Amino acid sequence: WFLTRAARALPMAVPADAQQPVSVTHCEDVASLLGSVVGKEDAAADQIFNCGANKLCSYDDVCIAAAKALGKEALVAALPPDTKSSFPFRPNAEGFAVSVRKALDVLEWEGAKHNVLDDIAADGFYTKDFLALGLDQGDLDTSKDQLELCENLEQDYGARGVHV
């Protein structure tokens, strides 16, 4: 979602001010956390653990990283919280993040090996794969982006932020 919009110099409509924390977790890190239970079944018994990354960032950070990776300007637009749109995460003002401190302590999980901001950088695997697959090309349906609800779009970006 972030790279597809950044590649086309399109605004990225995110909930609220885009500063809320988000835990974008690589599947290898999820598997590592789940695997950390092995050999510690007694400690994990009857416990509930959050599954996520221990490295948080903001939606704004992800938007900027995606744009920078592709040599573009990040057009970050403020979407009213709880607006249903194409945005891929919960559209609330609080963000989408969990604490994995309990897994780090109880299961002695080593923590996430991946960092979304590194993975999405110009030399990161995610961006390399995105470009290799040609996902930066072609038309993109933005009809569900709800850009008309973003009050800061024209104010912050002028004509650069207005796309039809």
Side-chain angles (χ1 to χ4, degrees):
W1 189 90
F2 299 96
L3 287 170
T4 58
R5 279 147 184 80
R8 293 161 180 83
L10 293 171
M12 292 176 258
V14 299
D17 66 0
Q19 297 304 308
Q20 55 275 63
V22 61
S23 176
V24 182
T25 309
H26 191 282
C27 62
E28 289 177 1
D29 293 324
V30 172
S32 167
L33 193 151
L34 294 173
S36 68
V37 172
V38 176
K40 299 175 188 80
E41 291 87 352
D42 289 339
D46 300 319
Q47 298 292 317
I48 297 173
F49 297 93
N50 288 323
C51 195
N54 54 322
K55 301 168 186 172
L56 302 179
C57 58
S58 69
Y59 292 137
D60 196 49
D61 293 333
V62 179
C63 291
I64 291 168
K68 184 177 177 182
L70 299 172
K72 306 282 185 171
E73 176 186 16
L75 301 173
V76 183
L79 194 60
D82 301 318
T83 300
K84 291 185 189 285
S85 71
S86 64
F87 186 70
F89 301 112
R90 290 181 189 160
N92 60 8
E94 295 79 28
F96 185 70
V98 296
S99 172
V100 294
R101 185 177 321 256
K102 186 175 178 182
L104 291 166
D105 294 342
V106 175
L107 301 175
E108 299 174 355
W109 180 52
E110 295 178 5
K113 301 283 187 249
H114 291 269
N115 179 325
V116 67
L117 300 180
D118 294 336
D119 293 347
I120 208 169
D123 61 349
F125 83 89
Y126 203 95
T127 301
K128 286 181 178 179
D129 289 353
F130 174 82
L131 294 171
L133 292 169
L135 298 175
D136 59 323
Q137 304 296 313
D139 294 332
L140 181 67
D141 179 6
T142 59
S143 62
K144 294 183 179 157
D145 283 9
Q146 303 286 14
L147 293 175
E148 68 278 3
L149 300 177
C150 299
E151 294 178 10
N152 74 312
L153 200 54
E154 192 168 351
Q155 167 193 315
D156 289 356
Y157 304 110
R160 296 186 327 275
V162 180
H163 293 267
V164 184

